[in-house]
Amino acid sequence: MKRTHAPLLAFHAGPTRKFSLAMLTLCLVLTSVSVGSNALLASPQAEPVATDSANQPDENAPQPQSGEAENLPEEPSSEPPADSTPEPEPTAFDRVDGWFGKYLVAPVAKVIFYDFGSGPKTETQTDADGNESKVVHPGWLRTDGAPDGVSIPFVVLWLLAGAMFLTLRMRFINFRGFWHAIQLTRGKYDTPGEPGEVSHFQALAAALSATVGLGNIAGVAIAIGTGGPGATVWIILIGLLGMTAKFSECTLGQLYRSNDDSGHVIGGPMRYLKYGLAEIGMGGLGRVLAVVFAVLCIGASFGGGNAFQVGQSLDAIRGTDPDGFLNTYPWVYGLIMVVAVGVVIIGGIKSIGAVAGRVVPFMCAAYVLAALFILVVNLDKIPAAIATIFDQAFTPDAAYGSFLGVMVIGIKRAVFSNEAGVGSAAIAHSAAKTDEPVSEGIVALLEPFIDTVVVCTITALVIVVTGVYADPAMASEIAGNQGASLTLQAFVVGGYDWFRYILYVAVVLFAYSTCISWSYYGERCWAQLFGARTSLVYKGLFLVFTLLGSIITRGNILDFSDLMILGMSFPNLLGVFLLSGVVKRKLDEYWGKYQRGELAMAEDA
């Protein structure tokens, strides 16, 4: 399907151009101002953020709303305060970050995580004397294990419903096409002269490098620590359902791809939302959804796909010594990442695919082999661990809440891990060499299987067989959602002390590969909005945020960029739902050719 490319922000676009420019400018300016303020005010000798559990707030305790508690008058006291050290004045960054949280993060989070009143709500009440009290209003979805209700966020329902709908619509292609996906990835059906820039395997590796990462190391540990071993079952189930969502969006990415004005392939939701919906008479809606998706993807690539990855990997490796080199000079790590990322992303998808094709198998192999060693050493505990996982999936211990609560925790971690329905992977898979769009969709369904069903399950088994999730010494890490620390402890307990270094290397490589892949996602959306000739501007901005990721602390700015990743699922899945009939017709045509043996095969197949 040959299509010419025109930037979404072509000058004749008028209101659409102004709308998207305004959205993008808002994200960039506020993020840059806040990050810059912190960078200017930061001192190399500044004390690192304490990670001691004694300094961590109790996340289970109700928290006052922003701006309420600090405005209460202090009660006079005859006793001197226990700690007479005056609190430091809030910096410019603190003020901007607080404004960002109050006026952007909080409203967006209320929409994305709206639970329709199913979970409990905490209200802060102040009496005439200025004393605060907390009142909990139970939700309507109450169970014996959760008498105050179970909160089911809207974004979880949206992604889950999308995956279930598409799995039924495509008649379980996630199972029917599994073996064929392996054949395609091995190159059995590759023929010379197919349009595209990278092989099936390189496209899969590039997409996997963006999803296999901290979610597999930390996310699974958080799910088990808070929801018990039973959360693993729901992680696996959502991984299987997510395979069809990946198939659908990546097939559409291939169907509506084109070449930009530099001759490179451009495809993904920003293309099929605009042109696919136009073909079914929804061109106006499609243009709006395409712009919204592109802006969200650019913002997400700067934050959640870049600065956040650098910051999290730095936190994992720099240790607890306040005088350590990386604690004193964190920007050195940032500069190393800038160079490592920069030399790859300048070359575009071919360089990214080539590097990802080497890094992803290596990092997965190192991590998985270490985990498998632990499982072999604890072979006698595996049957009991599996029994515990399935038992607690449906009848969890009272400490982990209700069946519904465990299910929601597992679903949340799975959808956040494999990004099925977000639409990002369709951008990478659209560059694959093929003249059969459906074939690349079938290759893409392997991604959630590897990311969620294989890697997440292995991580879960290691955590369960070593028993660290139930260790009272790890309670503070679990309460603080420090999943990487829990997984690290499992590797040390189940293996050797030097296994921690395998995890350190895995964390750094996971973060690095995520950065290079998300740079491509953001750059393609940038090119769709502003034209490929401005791509160097995007890449320069991306590397700036790579460096800033080692300097800034996690706050509302980065929370907002994480929300952008989840926000991408709304325009994307809406478009995929509306275009599911197109995908189904193309799938039926392709599957008929496959069953009749009419697909061209490689010469050495």
Side-chain angles (χ1 to χ4, degrees):
M1 185 175 293
K2 182 69 175 177
R3 287 182 174 82
T4 58
H5 168 72
L8 280 175
L9 298 192
F11 284 94
H12 62 269
T16 302
R17 177 174 181 269
K18 293 178 181 177
F19 167 68
S20 53
L21 279 173
M23 289 181 65
L24 184 60
T25 301
L26 176 66
C27 295
L28 288 176
V29 169
L30 290 176
T31 304
S32 300
V33 167
S34 59
V35 168
S37 302
N38 190 48
L40 290 172
L41 292 167
S43 164
Q45 290 78 28
E47 292 293 325
V49 177
T51 55
D52 193 295
S53 60
N55 296 325
Q56 296 292 338
D58 182 5
E59 292 202 353
N60 295 321
Q63 301 295 324
Q65 296 296 320
S66 176
E68 290 181 358
E70 50 267 46
N71 293 329
L72 293 175
E74 294 185 359
E75 296 183 5
S77 173
S78 59
E79 297 294 331
D83 184 5
S84 59
T85 304
E87 292 188 6
E89 288 291 325
T91 64
F93 173 79
D94 293 332
R95 287 191 289 269
V96 173
D97 191 64
W99 180 92
F100 213 87
K102 184 175 182 179
Y103 294 105
L104 282 178
V105 174
V108 172
K110 283 182 180 179
V111 174
I112 291 180
F113 296 110
Y114 181 66
D115 64 359
F116 304 95
S118 63
K121 295 290 181 293
T122 302
E123 181 184 0
T124 303
Q125 296 181 348
T126 306
D127 61 22
D129 297 326
N131 298 316
E132 285 188 348
S133 61
K134 304 292 183 181
V135 177
V136 176
H137 302 285
W140 55 264
L141 190 57
R142 305 173 200 172
T143 65
D144 293 338
D148 289 333
V150 178
S151 179
I152 304 180
F154 173 54
V155 68
V156 172
L157 291 176
W158 179 252
L159 290 165
L160 176 61
M164 293 178 64
F165 167 77
L166 292 170
T167 297
L168 296 173
R169 187 85 164 90
M170 306 303 159
R171 294 176 53 208
F172 297 94
I173 189 61
N174 49 339
F175 300 117
R176 291 190 294 135
F178 189 81
W179 173 244
H180 184 47
I182 296 175
Q183 293 177 316
L184 286 165
T185 306
R186 292 174 53 204
K188 182 176 180 179
Y189 293 89
D190 290 351
T191 56
E194 291 181 309
E197 296 187 81
V198 294
S199 67
H200 287 300
F201 173 75
Q202 288 176 328
L204 177 64
L208 270 173
S209 67
T211 54
V212 177
L214 296 174
N216 305 90
I217 294 176
V220 176
I222 291 171
I224 294 175
T226 56
T232 307
V233 170
W234 304 109
I235 290 175
I236 294 172
L237 177 62
I238 300 307
L240 294 172
L241 292 174
M243 293 165 68
T244 314
K246 278 287 173 79
F247 160 79
S248 302
E249 61 192 18
C250 292
T251 296
L252 288 170
Q254 277 277 336
L255 277 170
Y256 294 97
R257 69 178 178 177
S258 181
N259 291 326
D260 62 24
D261 47 16
S262 296
H264 297 296
V265 172
I266 184 167
M270 63 284 188
R271 294 283 304 173
Y272 59 71
L273 290 173
K274 179 180 179 181
Y275 295 102
L277 292 180
E279 288 184 355
I280 60 174
M282 298 183 180
L285 174 64
R287 284 191 294 273
V288 172
L289 292 179
V291 169
V292 170
F293 176 88
V295 171
L296 290 173
C297 185
I298 292 170
S301 72
F302 288 145
N306 184 10
F308 173 70
Q309 299 294 324
V310 174
Q312 288 290 289
S313 59
L314 174 60
D315 287 342
I317 67 172
R318 64 173 153 191
T320 57
D321 180 10
D323 297 321
F325 181 79
L326 289 179
N327 276 318
T328 306
Y329 304 103
W331 55 267
V332 173
Y333 178 77
L335 280 179
I336 294 172
M337 290 293 281
V338 166
V339 173
V341 171
V343 296
V344 175
I345 69 174
I346 296 300
I349 186 60
K350 291 184 179 180
S351 296
I352 294 171
V355 172
R358 293 177 176 86
V359 172
V360 171
F362 171 76
M363 70 183 185
C364 284
Y367 179 77
V368 170
L369 286 175
L372 289 177
F373 174 83
I374 296 172
L375 294 180
V376 170
V377 170
N378 295 274
L379 195 61
D380 58 322
K381 299 179 182 178
I382 292 180
I386 294 175
T388 299
I389 287 171
F390 279 95
D391 287 345
Q392 294 203 19
F394 302 99
T395 54
D397 290 344
Y400 299 115
S402 66
F403 154 71
L404 281 175
V406 173
M407 181 178 70
V408 170
I409 289 171
I411 292 173
K412 281 200 297 188
R413 299 322 311 178
V415 298
F416 296 166
S417 172
N418 60 45
E419 296 177 9
V422 169
S424 52
I427 302 173
H429 284 282
S430 66
K433 295 177 181 178
T434 182
D435 52 10
E436 291 281 2
V438 174
S439 69
E440 189 57 28
I442 291 177
V443 169
L445 63 79
L446 290 175
E447 188 185 328
F449 181 82
I450 296 171
D451 170 86
T452 307
V453 178
V454 175
V455 180
C456 286
T457 301
I458 290 174
T459 303
L461 281 173
V462 169
I463 292 171
V464 175
V465 299
T466 56
V468 295
Y469 73 97
D471 184 356
M474 301 302 295
S476 61
E477 281 77 6
I478 294 172
N481 283 337
Q482 298 175 23
S485 298
L486 191 64
T487 305
L488 176 63
Q489 183 67 11
F491 269 60
V492 172
V493 170
Y496 299 97
D497 185 69
W498 57 266
F499 270 33
R500 70 175 66 245
Y501 298 106
I502 296 178
L503 203 64
Y504 290 159
V505 172
V507 166
V508 172
L509 289 179
F510 284 159
Y512 172 66
S513 62
T514 299
C515 287
I516 62 175
S517 291
W518 269 95
S519 74
Y520 180 69
Y521 298 162
E523 185 272 333
R524 290 291 78 191
C525 287
W526 181 283
Q528 181 68 24
L529 289 176
F530 305 109
R533 295 179 182 177
T534 64
S535 289
L536 278 178
V537 176
Y538 169 84
K539 292 175 181 178
L541 285 170
F542 188 88
L543 293 177
V544 169
F545 279 91
T546 303
L547 176 61
L548 292 175
S550 65
I551 301 173
I552 64 174
T553 57
R554 179 170 173 80
N556 288 309
I557 306 298
L558 293 183
D559 286 340
F560 184 65
S561 69
D562 289 344
L563 291 175
M564 286 184 174
I565 296 179
L566 295 176
M568 290 161 59
S569 68
F570 293 109
N572 177 61
L573 271 184
L574 178 58
V576 173
F577 293 157
L578 296 172
L579 293 170
S580 60
V582 176
V583 179
K584 182 64 167 59
R585 287 193 298 272
K586 295 294 182 181
L587 171 60
D588 290 343
E589 293 172 8
Y590 178 86
W591 202 250
K593 291 181 184 179
Y594 171 63
Q595 291 181 318
R596 294 190 299 268
E598 297 175 359
L599 296 178
M601 300 177 66
E603 295 179 358
D604 57 349

